[in-house]
Amino acid sequence: MSETKPRDVQILPIGTDTIVLRSRSWARLRFEIEYALAKGTTANSYLIQGDKNALLDPPGETFTEIYLQALQQRFDVKKLDYVILGHVNPNRAATLKALLEIAPQITFVCSNPGAINLRAALEKDDLQILVMRGEDTLDLGKGHHLQFIPTPNPRYADELCTWDPQTEILFSDKLFGAHICSDQVFDEGWEVFNEDRRYYFDCLMAPHARQVETALEKLADLSVRMYATGHGPIVRYGLIDITKGYREWTKQQTSADMTVALIYASAYGNTATLAQAIARGITKAGVSVEAINCEFTEPEEIKAAIEKSAGFVIGSPTLGGHAPTPVQTALGIVLSTATNNKLAGVFGSFGWSGEAVDLIESKLKDAGYRFGFDTIRVKFKPNEVTLQTCEEAGTDFAQALKRAAKKSVVARQPASNVEQAVGRIVGSICVVTATQGEVKTGMLASWVTQASFNPPGLTIAVAKDRAMENMTHTNNKFVVNILAEGREIRKQFMKVYAPGQDRFAGLDTQESNNGGIILNGALAYLECSVQSRMEAGDHWLVYATVDDGKVLNQDAVTAVHYRKSANYY
């Protein structure tokens, strides 16, 4: 997929009196973890033309000009009656203001939290707003009698789905989407989107699994023919599969043995972005997250989440040299509720000073809490490296909880006959390296094997909680460095690294043709392209073809890893 393609707006009828306007960006739009697959995205907007006309979810300001141009070529915007907002993102303000200039008669339709956010985003108190609370409806005529289903979660407290019984289309906004840009409007051949949809779920929905489960229950009785998503292809052919997938994935989260309470507030969205990356790191390690936006959560809910959690993480912006009042309230609840044997973490984004983060850290240290990662302080907007650091910090936090739980239950049991037998499978010792933007990482691997002759290909098993995992998706590139006997390089990658720490410090390296990292001290290297991957228990099994390679040391012998049990590496 070429990043040189210009942004455009793709328009197509999708139902009676209903069209989609897909604002397309073939390149990654911003540094947020759900965009990490870097496949571009679409911002999907919809127009329903009944006796009255409603526009759903206009895109953000990066698309304002081309979107309005495309819309006006097909519809007289002056005749627009309603703009329905699944959620209010400040990024949409420019587009909404432009619409109001053309059609000042517009009535906005949103949830009550959405109305509050909308007035703040547009800096106007005299907006015409219809607040939908769940039982309210909106009749556009011609059978389009719209119903509204609030589906809030901590990240999007104003989330609202719209149901049109006439076309049997559910305008699902954040639910069931994917960040991928293509020419496909619908998801025919939907299996090719499974990986993208799962990744989108893991990043955006997994930290809010309890709320997603509630949303699915609300939607269960609707006879849906199509999910008109906010991003990516419209769900039509894979509707049963994605619905089943969401139920299974939420159950995985809600039934996890351990939970972390992730408590935060966010002034400009930056602290929320950090929270999302930390949550992704925790959930990929098999620990569930109870995300709590303390601006919209009652004290009793915060207290209950802390009581059942194995650990907690608190994030805050700094406003006027202080933490916002909701964060201060939440911190007080934590200090009075959480025993100091619970693991703690602190993070936050700030503009000119970070007193709020320092205050929270000092209060928790004074109370005797142990920290699962070094406090994360980010000035202004996070970048790729920062988000990778946050994700690794979340994974370290979850792994620390799991290690503590194992110690408190039982010591390692002797390997069974089956485990002893499986453990006799040997593998060459390799270091797999990859880069993505400014992020560079590598991991020691021994579960690597040739998988095909033509084309030459291999499989590699990557644990779900490895930092490398995010860089082993379809179309990603990586380098397999096959090690020679000897322990120097091997020891380097057996170290425990702090989040964001340079794994290649002191090593002789060069950049490969595919952008990866070649270890010049290796026996040989292979440049690989990921073709597919499948979920395999606690690992992802990645199949990649070999594009290039070279033996660097003709005289050395491949390092081999011998084990006596299959229950550890």
Side-chain angles (χ1 to χ4, degrees):
M1 188 180 300
S2 172
E3 293 192 358
T4 61
K5 285 187 179 182
R7 292 176 182 172
D8 62 3
V9 180
Q10 185 185 33
I11 301 177
L12 196 77
I14 62 169
T16 304
D17 308 318
T18 306
I19 64 171
V20 62
L21 299 95
R22 303 175 80 230
S23 299
R24 300 191 293 183
S25 173
W26 301 87
R28 179 177 176 174
L29 281 179
R30 58 177 67 88
F31 292 126
E32 288 187 24
I33 193 166
E34 73 267 26
Y35 292 91
L37 300 192
K39 295 184 179 180
T41 194
T42 69
N44 301 334
S45 178
Y46 303 90
L47 178 66
I48 303 173
Q49 298 179 74
D51 296 326
K52 293 189 175 182
N53 304 302
L55 188 66
L56 290 85
D57 295 322
E61 62 184 346
T62 54
F63 295 114
T64 299
E65 185 176 343
I66 61 171
Y67 171 78
L68 290 177
Q69 184 180 10
L71 178 64
Q72 288 174 307
Q73 286 175 353
R74 289 160 178 82
F75 173 73
D76 184 357
V77 178
K78 294 179 180 178
K79 295 181 178 179
L80 188 59
D81 297 288
Y82 302 102
V83 172
I84 300 172
L85 298 170
H87 77 282
V88 178
N89 187 329
N91 185 45
R92 285 179 171 163
T95 309
L96 299 179
K97 288 177 181 177
L99 284 168
L100 276 173
E101 287 180 9
I102 302 169
Q105 77 282 353
I106 288 173
T107 296
F108 292 99
V109 181
C110 56
S111 65
N112 190 51
I116 297 170
N117 293 341
L118 183 63
R119 291 187 181 98
L122 298 186
E123 300 175 329
K124 291 185 70 175
D125 293 324
D126 58 345
L127 297 171
Q128 300 179 70
I129 300 177
L130 274 179
V131 173
M132 296 298 173
R133 294 180 170 82
E135 60 283 335
D136 300 316
T137 61
L138 180 64
D139 190 358
L140 300 179
K142 297 185 179 180
H144 301 286
H145 199 89
L146 305 184
Q147 300 171 22
F148 298 91
I149 306 103
T151 53
N153 63 57
R155 181 72 191 270
Y156 304 103
D158 58 347
E159 187 72 25
L160 187 72
C161 291
T162 302
W163 166 242
D164 186 354
Q166 162 79 341
T167 55
E168 297 182 323
I169 295 175
L170 179 74
F171 299 92
S172 60
D173 195 46
K174 289 294 182 182
L175 292 170
F176 311 116
H179 284 306
I180 181 169
C181 187
S182 70
D183 291 322
Q184 281 187 241
V185 175
F186 298 102
D187 64 337
E188 57 268 34
W190 50 267
E191 292 93 343
V192 301
F193 300 115
N194 282 349
E195 184 179 339
D196 302 284
R197 286 173 172 168
R198 174 62 185 272
Y199 183 77
Y200 178 93
F201 175 92
D202 286 345
C203 291
L204 279 185
M205 302 297 162
H208 318 304
R210 185 168 56 84
Q211 289 85 0
V212 174
E213 197 170 56
T214 300
L216 294 175
E217 290 172 1
K218 291 181 179 180
L219 304 175
D221 294 333
L222 304 177
S223 55
V224 179
R225 184 174 63 88
M226 191 185 302
Y227 292 141
T229 57
H231 302 286
I234 295 171
V235 181
R236 179 178 174 185
Y237 299 94
L239 191 141
I240 294 174
D241 183 81
I242 189 64
T243 305
K244 179 181 176 184
Y246 262 57
R247 288 181 180 137
E248 291 176 351
W249 304 334
T250 54
K251 188 174 181 181
Q252 287 175 11
Q253 295 299 319
T254 56
S255 62
D257 294 332
M258 281 188 289
T259 300
V260 172
L262 178 59
I263 305 162
Y264 69 93
S266 190
Y268 304 105
N270 295 332
T271 303
T273 298
L274 300 178
Q276 183 181 328
I278 293 169
R280 166 68 175 147
I282 294 171
T283 57
K284 70 187 283 187
V287 174
S288 70
V289 169
E290 179 73 19
I292 299 166
N293 187 333
C294 53
E295 295 178 89
F296 304 101
T297 308
E298 294 296 325
E300 285 305 313
E301 289 183 63
I302 298 175
K303 182 179 179 182
I306 293 167
E307 286 175 341
K308 72 177 184 180
S309 70
F312 61 88
V313 182
I314 303 179
S316 176
T318 297
L319 301 176
H322 302 283
T325 300
V327 175
Q328 295 182 39
T329 301
L331 178 61
I333 295 170
V334 167
L335 292 170
S336 63
T337 304
T339 55
N340 63 9
N341 63 344
K342 289 183 186 284
L343 203 61
V346 181
F347 67 97
S349 174
F350 56 90
W352 303 107
S353 58
E355 292 93 340
V357 181
D358 297 335
L359 169 69
I360 296 168
E361 180 188 49
S362 64
K363 291 280 188 183
L364 294 178
K365 281 184 176 178
D366 291 345
Y369 291 99
R370 293 180 301 114
F371 285 68
F373 55 80
D374 291 339
T375 295
I376 297 172
R377 299 171 175 85
V378 178
K379 194 166 186 179
F380 301 116
K381 193 171 180 65
N383 58 23
E384 282 183 309
V385 175
T386 304
L387 293 181
Q388 180 70 14
T389 299
C390 288
E391 184 172 333
E392 291 177 18
T395 298
D396 285 356
F397 193 92
Q399 289 172 337
L401 289 176
K402 291 167 78 172
R403 285 195 298 269
K406 281 184 180 179
K407 287 180 182 177
S408 65
V409 179
V410 289
R412 179 183 287 176
Q413 298 298 312
S416 67
N417 289 336
V418 171
E419 289 168 341
Q420 290 181 48
V422 174
R424 290 324 194 257
I425 298 173
V426 299
S428 57
I429 301 175
C430 306
V431 173
V432 183
T433 65
T435 63
Q436 184 169 287
E438 297 299 316
V439 177
K440 303 180 188 296
T441 191
M443 71 172 193
L444 198 65
S446 58
W447 293 7
V448 181
T449 186
Q450 185 171 349
S452 59
F453 287 124
N454 188 19
L458 56 84
T459 58
I460 174 171
V462 182
K464 290 180 176 178
D465 59 1
R466 298 296 289 269
M468 181 85 192
E469 180 271 334
N470 275 1
M471 301 189 188
T472 59
H473 287 270
T474 304
N475 299 325
N476 282 160
K477 312 282 187 181
F478 59 76
V479 174
V480 176
N481 294 272
I482 304 164
L483 301 189
E485 284 187 341
R487 298 185 59 84
E488 183 180 349
I489 296 177
R490 182 178 178 181
K491 284 172 65 177
Q492 172 106 348
F493 286 91
M494 290 178 70
K495 296 176 184 176
V496 176
Y497 287 92
Q501 187 176 352
D502 183 6
R503 287 159 169 77
F504 304 101
L507 290 177
D508 181 16
T509 65
Q510 62 175 303
E511 184 176 329
S512 65
N513 292 327
N514 67 4
I517 297 171
I518 297 169
L519 305 180
N520 290 326
L523 182 149
Y525 70 89
L526 304 170
E527 297 184 17
C528 304
S529 299
V530 180
Q531 303 301 318
S532 62
R533 69 184 213 159
M534 62 175 279
E535 194 168 6
D538 52 6
H539 283 64
W540 290 103
L541 187 63
V542 178
Y543 171 67
T545 51
V546 179
D547 305 315
D548 199 0
K550 185 179 180 181
V551 176
L552 299 174
N553 187 338
Q554 294 285 353
D555 300 322
V557 178
T558 303
V560 178
H561 184 43
Y562 295 95
R563 298 180 300 156
K564 292 186 177 180
S565 172
N567 55 14
Y568 55 88
Y569 286 117

